Amino acid sequence: MKILVINGPNLNMLGVREPDIYGREDYSALCAVAERACAARGAECEVWQSNHEGDIVDKIQSAYGTADGIVINPAAYTHTSVAILDALKAVALPAVEIHISDVNAREPFRQLSYAGMACIKTFAGFGLDGYRLAVDYLIDYIKESEEK
Ligand code: DQA
């Protein structure tokens, strides 16, 4: 089983970026959480990040036929990108949305998620541990679907 973990803009700045909101751990710590969670379940893992909307669309498309599921933190594009929503719908792979911060407790504009409309579940406000929760939920979902 292969899980693709996609991270959007500014997540490469973790540790430096607004530490009161996103914590002091850096992007490599995020990658380690996701990789460890996949390895614990015997799944292959690719963690990928881009600051560019079109590149994220291309990466989602590349998952078609090559990955079994997607964990995605579209970052700011969560709240603006119909293109990312459409790409997730196009590949029709099970996807789980994750946000480090509790987006629902922040500014009103963060409470709309386009990507979330194509996801089976959202984890928000659990810090980097949200990546572990998202990976576990997604792998359980894929395994259950395979049994049916
Ligand atoms: C974020 C929340 C978004 O609103 C914000 O634009 C981000 C990070 C999070 O992980 O909490 O860049 O997705």
Side-chain angles (χ1 to χ4, degrees), residues 9 11 17 22 73 75-76 78-79 99-101 103 106 110:
L11 289 167
R17 170 190 193 202
Y22 299 111
N73 183 348
T78 305
H79 318 298
H99 298 286
I100 296 166
S101 66
V103 279
R106 297 179 63 193
R110 292 187 204 275

Side-chain angles (χ1 to χ4, degrees), residues 17-99:
R17 170 190 193 202
E18 300 180 271
D20 293 348
I21 296 174
Y22 299 111
R24 294 191 185 276
E25 292 190 286
D26 66 8
Y27 182 68
S28 68
L30 182 163
C31 297
V33 170
E35 282 161 5
R36 234 183 287 124
C38 287
R41 302 292 303 271
E44 203 188 318
C45 184
E46 179 184 353
V47 189
W48 181 91
Q49 190 272 337
S50 174
N51 294 323
H52 306 282
E53 184 176 15
D55 290 346
I56 295 170
V57 169
D58 287 344
K59 192 66 185 178
I60 293 168
Q61 290 184 6
S62 80
Y64 183 73
T66 66
D68 300 288
I70 297 173
V71 168
I72 186 161
N73 183 348
Y77 291 137
T78 305
H79 318 298
T80 61
S81 180
V82 177
I84 290 174
L85 167 63
D86 284 350
L88 289 169
K89 284 181 163 177
V91 298
L93 289 166
V96 174
E97 177 186 22
I98 186 264
H99 298 286

